[in-house]
Amino acid sequence: MCAGIGSESKENGMMSRAKVLTIDTMNPTVKKVEYAVRGPIVARAVELERELSEGMKKPFSEVIKANIGDAHAMGQQPITFFRQVLALCSYPELLSDSTFPEDAKSRACSILNSCGGNSMGSYSPSQGIESVRQDVARYIERRDGGVPCDPDNIYLTTGASDGIVTMLKLLVCGEGATRAGVMISIPQYPLYSAALAELGAVQINYYLNEEKFWSLDISELQRALDEARLYCNPRALCIINPGNPTGQVQSRECIEDVIRFAAQERLFLMADEVYQDNVYAEGCQFHSFKKVLFEMGPEYSETVELASFHSTSKCYMGECGFRGGYMEIINMDDDVKAQLTKLLSVRLCPPVPGQALMDLVVNPPQPGEPSYERFIKERTATLSTLAEKAKLTEQVLNTVQGISCNPVQGAMYSFPRITIPEKAVKEATDMGQQPDMFYCMKMLEETGICLVPGSGFGQREGTYHFRMTILPRTDKLKILLNKVQEFHLKFTQQYS
């Protein structure tokens, strides 16, 4: 054997050698990735479910998960028309079944005719099925009051997350003080911090104003940008509207200010708009960044670079598992656009069933069609129930001394602020835990309620929060809120 080659040894008569891939030799950026909504608390919740199923005694009879926006897992029912068309596309023999409405059959045939070999099992073009991109473009034009949309600027994606990460890949470059920085809101959705960590980019935090219903202040954007320019090259500004985890809905005036700021500071805008149908509060309205951008005139509409994202996973659909989504790009350099198309071709194509579902979302049943009335009834019922649960969550949490909850104006979450006694803070610190992680883990062990600590989303120093989704069925949500009330009072008394 050549000197230095091989590290095999004989132990107990068996050959062994060091692993090629170890925690010390793996990609170091992966170790920096954290994703709170599927973190240690959720892992423990799964263990508790298993222990309950095995007959172990607990101070609760079930685990109620309110950690993630997985609507159907929480009991939300799918839209009938969507599932009918997807069933027909998956098993075309059903097209002869008289129980399916004719408009569902027609839509299924249209989708299948756009697929290679008339099958959803075939690859699509990397940018997505052309007819679906055309339908997305028409949807955006209707949504934005006639602002033109070019299907060539539409990219179908594997959920919105795929598009967001792809855009961040294009933006990240440089080393040291020239390393790309990306501005994200705090609190934020952990996809952003996780993706930036994996890409080795610089995360630039700007804080939302909790005292003003989690609003965005331009002065705070300027502060964060000026400080960041001392150690990196800020290139992009990410906005989530309606907000996750904070549930705020941005005003048109605020969006205009953000666009002016991006133009002035030469920042690429990324608008995460996956909750655009989830607006509940009186006086609030969803305004797309693209619509506002174009209504501000050519000074902005012809210069500001924008990527906006949507998904089949949220709104009234809640079809998370199909992984359908799209992004629209505005004012992207033609050479970069070619690189984007190349990058997307590496992953071949987004899931075709997800593309088909996105087509149904942007082009649902129309008045006069057989499925229209049922579709409208189901859509309205889902959004109305979510609005009721948003109000219920805010009202109940605000009755608890030591918990303060801003109005849930939109999206699917509340992010209440909690008071944690100093004695509990010290115990958590001694255990090497964030105080709100300590709080949420204790709640899980004592009540079976699974929430996510605010530290997983980011928060101002010295403040503590948790994120909970409003998605559980109303009866489960009431149980959850009552248990949170009882636990917080008990926790406060225990550590006072």
Side-chain angles (χ1 to χ4, degrees):
M1 181 182 290
C2 298
I5 296 181
S7 57
E8 296 177 345
S9 63
K10 232 177 184 181
E11 295 180 8
N12 300 324
M14 299 181 66
M15 300 297 293
S16 66
R17 67 176 184 180
K19 299 285 188 185
V20 173
L21 182 63
T22 69
I23 195 69
D24 294 322
T25 63
M26 69 177 289
N27 184 340
T29 61
V30 174
K31 291 187 282 188
K32 297 178 182 178
V33 172
E34 294 184 1
Y35 191 62
V37 296
R38 290 180 182 249
I41 283 187
V42 182
R44 179 56 183 150
V46 172
E47 289 178 359
L48 287 170
E49 285 182 318
R50 187 181 66 251
E51 291 170 6
L52 283 170
S53 70
E54 293 171 350
M56 292 183 64
K57 296 297 182 183
K58 302 288 178 184
F60 46 87
S61 59
E62 65 175 333
V63 173
I64 301 179
K65 294 178 183 173
N67 61 292
I68 194 167
D70 191 353
H72 291 188
M74 303 281 183
Q76 181 176 309
Q77 294 302 299
I79 298 295
T80 302
F81 180 77
F82 293 171
R83 289 299 184 90
Q84 287 174 332
V85 176
L86 291 171
L88 292 163
C89 288
S90 298
Y91 191 60
E93 284 80 356
L94 292 173
L95 288 165
S96 61
D97 190 325
S98 61
T99 60
F100 288 84
E102 289 303 314
D103 55 343
K105 292 179 180 181
S106 174
R107 293 298 301 282
C109 289
S110 176
I111 291 169
L112 289 172
N113 287 339
S114 299
C115 297
N118 302 117
S119 171
M120 275 206 309
S122 59
Y123 287 131
S124 78
S126 297
Q127 194 169 342
I129 298 170
E130 183 176 2
S131 63
V132 178
R133 291 190 290 109
Q134 290 170 348
D135 281 344
V136 169
R138 283 189 282 266
Y139 160 80
I140 292 172
E141 288 183 353
R142 292 193 305 272
R143 183 197 67 186
D144 292 344
V147 175
C149 180
D150 184 351
D152 196 42
N153 290 334
I154 302 297
Y155 292 78
L156 302 182
T157 56
T158 307
S161 302
D162 174 43
I164 291 166
V165 173
T166 298
M167 285 308 310
L168 290 174
K169 287 179 180 178
L170 293 179
L171 285 158
V172 173
C173 64
E175 298 294 338
T178 66
R179 189 62 172 167
V182 178
M183 302 181 71
I184 65 172
S185 62
I186 300 295
Q188 55 102 20
Y189 177 50
L191 163 70
Y192 291 90
S193 56
L196 294 175
E198 184 179 359
L199 294 169
V202 179
Q203 176 178 317
I204 304 169
N205 296 338
Y206 66 89
Y207 289 88
L208 301 177
N209 190 335
E210 184 171 10
E211 283 64 42
K212 294 183 179 178
F213 308 122
W214 297 113
S215 62
L216 192 162
D217 297 329
I218 297 300
S219 60
E220 170 60 13
L221 286 180
Q222 194 68 61
R223 176 207 63 78
L225 182 69
D226 291 344
E227 290 181 7
R229 280 183 168 148
L230 300 176
Y231 56 84
C232 71
N233 176 25
R235 304 199 72 203
L237 169 59
C238 300
I239 307 287
I240 308 175
N241 179 48
N244 176 10
T246 44
Q248 85 285 3
V249 178
Q250 290 186 353
S251 68
R252 182 191 173 91
E253 179 184 7
C254 177
I255 293 172
E256 289 180 357
D257 289 342
V258 169
I259 290 171
R260 291 189 190 97
F261 177 81
Q264 174 185 324
E265 302 295 345
R266 300 194 72 249
L267 295 170
F268 191 107
L269 262 178
M270 295 176 61
D272 182 339
E273 299 175 333
V274 302
Y275 299 99
Q276 57 191 256
D277 290 324
N278 298 112
V279 178
Y280 317 122
E282 189 175 343
C284 289
Q285 180 182 350
F286 170 74
H287 301 277
S288 80
F289 265 77
K290 182 194 176 183
K291 181 175 189 287
V292 176
L293 174 67
F294 275 75
E295 290 178 350
M296 290 173 69
E299 177 185 356
Y300 299 99
S301 64
E302 295 179 2
T303 59
V304 174
E305 296 156 87
L306 168 70
S308 57
F309 309 91
H310 195 19
S311 168
T312 62
S313 301
K314 309 304 177 184
C315 299
Y316 64 93
M317 302 85 70
E319 295 278 13
C320 304
F322 280 97
R323 310 307 300 133
Y326 73 74
M327 65 177 173
E328 181 186 16
I329 56 170
I330 303 295
N331 293 324
M332 178 175 278
D333 179 271
D334 287 340
D335 291 335
V336 175
K337 193 173 177 182
Q339 294 296 314
L340 169 60
T341 302
K342 179 188 74 175
L343 182 60
L344 291 174
S345 70
V346 174
R347 56 96 158 110
L348 297 177
C349 70
V352 174
Q355 296 185 53
L357 178 59
M358 178 53 77
D359 189 59
L360 302 174
V361 170
V362 298
N363 187 19
Q366 298 301 306
E369 294 180 344
S371 300
Y372 176 74
E373 288 187 10
R374 184 172 187 176
F375 166 75
I376 290 296
K377 182 180 179 181
E378 291 175 346
R379 181 186 188 277
T380 302
T382 297
L383 292 175
S384 296
T385 300
L386 286 170
E388 291 166 5
K389 291 191 287 190
K391 191 66 176 175
L392 174 68
T393 300
E394 174 200 347
Q395 289 175 339
V396 173
L397 291 177
N398 279 329
T399 65
V400 185
Q401 186 174 359
I403 297 182
S404 174
C405 182
N406 270 320
V408 182
Q409 297 175 338
M412 296 177 171
Y413 318 94
S414 65
F415 197 71
R417 185 168 176 172
I418 53 177
T419 301
I420 299 181
E422 282 302 315
K423 186 178 175 183
V425 172
K426 184 179 184 307
E427 185 171 329
T429 304
D430 291 344
M431 295 172 62
Q433 285 187 351
Q434 291 288 341
D436 49 11
M437 169 66 86
F438 176 77
Y439 175 95
C440 288
M441 191 64 83
K442 269 191 135 349
M443 184 188 298
L444 175 62
E445 295 287 354
E446 295 181 19
T447 69
I449 301 301
C450 181
L451 309 177
V452 189
S455 51
F457 301 87
Q459 55 198 352
R460 283 195 179 275
E461 187 74 25
T463 68
Y464 308 109
H465 303 78
F466 61 75
R467 188 192 81 162
M468 61 165 283
T469 177
I470 63 171
L471 288 172
R473 295 196 321 264
T474 302
D475 58 333
K476 295 284 187 187
L477 182 62
K478 288 178 179 178
I479 293 171
L480 185 156
L481 291 169
N482 286 336
K483 286 192 173 188
V484 170
Q485 281 181 302
E486 293 168 1
F487 171 80
H488 187 82
L489 293 173
K490 179 183 174 183
F491 181 88
T492 303
Q493 291 168 359
Q494 179 182 353
Y495 287 100
S496 293

